[in-house]
Amino acid sequence: MSSDWKDKLKEVKRQLEDRKMKKVLETRAREREAERPPARKLVVPQPVKQAPRSLAPLAPPKATTALSLIRVKEAILPPVPPWDGFKPTYNIGVDFGTSSTKVCAREHKGVIPNDPGPIYLAHLDGSDSYLCPSTVFIKNGRLYFGHQAEREETSDAVPFRHLKACLACEVEPARATAFAECSSTREPGTSRCTGSFRYSHPLSASQLVTLYLGWVMREARGVVSKSLRLGSNAAFTYHVGLPLEQIDKSAAFVSLYEKISYQAWRISEGVVQGLDLNKAVKWLNEVTNEPIPNAEDSPVQLAPEIVASLVPFLINCVRSVALTPGLYGLVDIGAWTTDVAMFRYSSNGVVSFPVTSVRRTGCNLIDEELRSGLLGLVGGSSDRSLHVLSKIRVERENHSFDKSTFRVARYDVTPPPSLQDYTLRVAAGKIWRQFIETVKLAHDNWKERYDEQTFSTFQVFILGGGSNIELLAKAPDYFKTKVTRFTSALPGIPDNFKAIGAKHNAADLPSADYRRLAIAHGLAFAAGTWPEVTRPSQVKPAIPPPRKDALTFEDLGYDEK
C-alpha cells in the first residue's frame, strides 16, 4: 500500500472519530438541557445589548441569599431608570473611593485617539467640590448621603464612613484590623472589622454601599441630563471601578460587586436625601429576588481602577505625560488605602501587571501619627477621641495644622512645625517601602524575562489625594539605590475637562487635582474602548534559552574523544 493510501485511510479514520465525538457531545448537551431548571422570569424588561464589555472576569453563579434585614413582602420598588428600548447616550464613570467619590461622564462614541471631545466632571448634590464624601448618615431614621450627610452631622446622627474598606471585610474571610474611626462590629476577642453595623436592626456594608451608589447614579444622571439638556428619558451606562487585586483573586468579591452595582441602579430612582430607612430596607429585600443580568446585558459594568487611571494616557487624551512602551510603576495614595502596582506597556497595546496590591495605609496614617505626636507632647496616654482625629484631618488638608490649637488630654496644644514634617516623612517612608516591596515582587515574577537594568530606572505614576502632599509624591532619597532609581510622573488637568453642576470651570482647578480624577476619567470611557489587560495571575514569564558564556568542544567541532 502506497503512502498516499495510508494518508487517505488515516483521514477517513479521523473523520469517523470526529463524527462519533460530535454525537457524544450533542447527546451530553441534550441531557444537560433536560436537567436544567426552568429559567426565572425577569421582573424588569430585558435590557438591550450594548457593545461595551467589562474587563472583570465573569463571576460564578449569583448568590440568592436574602439580605440580613427582616423580609418585607410585596414592597413597591421605584420605577426602573430608562433603559429598555433606549440607546445609551452617555457613559458615567463612578470612582467609588474609600473617602470620596468622583464622577466623570463621556458621550458614547468609541475610541478616538487624541479625542478633543469633552469629559464632564460632575459635581453632585449642588456642591462646588467634585469630591463627594463616600459617607452615609442615619439621622432620625432617615438616610443622608455625600455632602448632605456631612452637613447633617450632629450628636444624634450615626455616621458610616470608609464603607468600601468595610465591604472588603464583609466578603473576605481574612478580615483586616478596623480603622480608628470604624463603627462596625468586631470579631469576638479581636479588633478585626466584620463589615456589619448595629443600628435599630443589623445593617451590612453591602446594604449601605448599595444605597450610596444608587444615590450617586441618580444624582449623576440628573446633573448630566440637566446640564446637557438631554431630557428625562435619556439612558446611561455606568462604569464602576474596583481594585484589580480583588478582581484577580476573589470571585466572591466580584460577584458581590456585580450584585450591589446592579441593585443600586435598579432602585436608584427612589434613593433621595432623607429617604426613610424602613422603606429602603423593604426595597433592598425585594430587589434581592431579581436575577442579575449578564455583564454584556447590564447597564452597569465593572472595571479595574488601576487600569482606568491609565486609559486616558494610553489613548493620548492626557498630553502632560507621555506613555511609551516600557516598564512603569503606579502608586495611588488615598485617604485610607494605597494601591501599588508594576505594569508593562507593550508596543501591541497590551498592559501587563505582574503584581498589584492594596495596602490599608493612606493619609489616615498621617492623622493617626499626628494624634500620637500631640499626645506625646503632653505625656498623655492613648486617646481614642475621634473628634481630635477629625480636626487634625481638616486642619492638615487646609494647610493650617501647625497654626491650630488642639484639645488633647485636657490641654490646649499648638503643635510645632517640626511635628507635621516628621510625621509626613514617616508616612512617606512606609508608603514607598510598600512600593519597593512591589518592585521586588515584580522582579521575581519577571526575572527570567527582563534583566536587572530594566528594573533600575523607570517612571512611577503618582495618583490619589495623598499625592498632593509634596513629601509623599516622590520617593525619599534613601530609597534611590543603584537598583531602584525612579522618577515621578505627575499629570495635570486635560484641556477638555468641563465642570457641570458647579459655578466654576474645570480650568480653574489646580493642575495637581488631576491625580484625584484620573480613575474617574478612565471610567468615563465605556468598557469596549479599553485596552487589553493581563492580570497578575495571567502573567507567564517567557523563559529565554540559556545563554552560553563560552564555546563548548561541540561548538568548536570536536567530539567527546
Side-chain angles (χ1 to χ4, degrees), residues 105-426:
R106 178 182 181 267
E107 186 179 1
H108 272 289
K109 54 183 178 179
V111 180
I112 303 178
N114 305 306
D115 181 18
I119 297 293
Y120 297 101
L121 175 59
H123 291 61
L124 307 184
D125 209 19
S127 173
D128 284 337
S129 174
Y130 62 84
L131 297 172
C132 182
S134 300
T135 304
V136 178
F137 270 56
I138 299 178
K139 183 177 180 180
N140 299 326
R142 295 190 175 275
L143 291 155
Y144 298 92
F145 309 93
H147 297 289
Q148 184 62 34
E150 298 294 351
R151 290 192 286 266
E152 294 290 336
E153 185 172 11
T154 56
S155 58
D156 59 339
V158 181
F160 301 92
R161 294 189 172 92
H162 50 69
L163 289 168
K164 184 177 180 180
C166 293
L167 182 62
C169 293
E170 177 186 341
V171 70
E172 297 295 342
R175 291 166 175 153
T177 301
F179 293 122
E181 296 179 63
C182 185
S183 58
S184 68
T185 58
R186 307 290 192 265
E187 284 187 345
T190 73
S191 59
R192 296 185 179 279
C193 169
T194 62
S196 299
F197 306 90
R198 292 193 181 97
Y199 190 65
S200 57
H201 38 58
L203 289 169
S204 66
S206 56
Q207 293 168 318
L208 293 171
V209 169
T210 302
L211 293 167
Y212 177 79
L213 288 180
W215 174 78
V216 168
M217 291 177 183
R218 182 183 187 276
E219 186 72 14
R221 64 173 172 262
V223 170
V224 175
S225 296
K226 180 179 179 181
S227 301
L228 305 183
R229 300 180 181 178
L230 301 180
S232 58
N233 289 328
F236 298 88
T237 54
Y238 306 83
H239 219 175
V240 181
L242 66 161
L244 176 61
E245 181 184 34
Q246 289 163 329
I247 290 179
D248 196 43
K249 295 181 179 179
S250 177
F253 190 88
V254 174
S255 178
L256 179 62
Y257 243 97
E258 286 179 335
K259 177 179 178 180
I260 287 173
S261 57
Y262 175 76
Q263 292 178 351
W265 172 82
R266 176 61 187 88
I267 66 173
S268 59
E269 279 291 296
V271 185
V272 297
Q273 300 286 10
L275 173 65
D276 181 76
L277 177 61
N278 290 326
K279 180 184 289 187
V281 168
K282 295 177 184 178
W283 291 349
L284 291 172
N285 281 301
E286 189 67 25
V287 78
T288 300
N289 293 328
E290 293 192 9
I292 311 300
N294 295 327
E296 59 269 22
D297 298 325
S298 176
V300 186
Q301 305 284 314
L302 302 180
E305 295 167 339
I306 284 182
V307 182
S309 66
L310 301 177
V311 169
F313 301 96
L314 293 170
I315 56 180
N316 299 320
C317 289
V318 181
R319 300 177 184 177
S320 55
V321 176
L323 188 64
T324 57
L327 186 67
Y328 295 87
L330 190 148
V331 179
D332 182 2
I333 308 170
W336 301 91
T337 59
T338 297
D339 289 20
V340 291
M342 290 288 298
F343 69 92
R344 172 164 285 279
Y345 175 47
S346 303
S347 56
N348 60 0
V350 178
V351 182
S352 300
F353 289 85
V355 61
T356 178
S357 64
V358 180
R359 309 296 179 94
R360 291 171 69 93
T361 52
C363 291
N364 64 306
L365 174 65
I366 300 171
D367 301 325
E368 291 173 12
E369 291 286 345
L370 287 173
R371 182 175 63 174
S372 299
L374 291 174
L375 283 167
L377 290 174
V378 299
S381 58
S382 177
D383 183 353
R384 303 299 292 175
S385 172
L386 299 183
H387 174 73
V388 174
L389 201 59
S390 299
K391 185 176 181 181
I392 288 173
R393 177 178 299 110
V394 171
E395 300 300 340
R396 175 182 58 77
E397 292 178 347
N398 291 332
H399 307 289
S400 56
F401 174 79
D402 54 357
K403 302 179 183 66
S404 303
T405 300
F406 299 87
R407 185 71 176 177
V408 181
R410 302 188 302 277
Y411 297 98
D412 292 327
V413 181
T414 301
S418 58
L419 176 60
Q420 184 173 9
D421 182 74
Y422 169 76
T423 302
L424 289 175
R425 292 181 186 278
V426 170

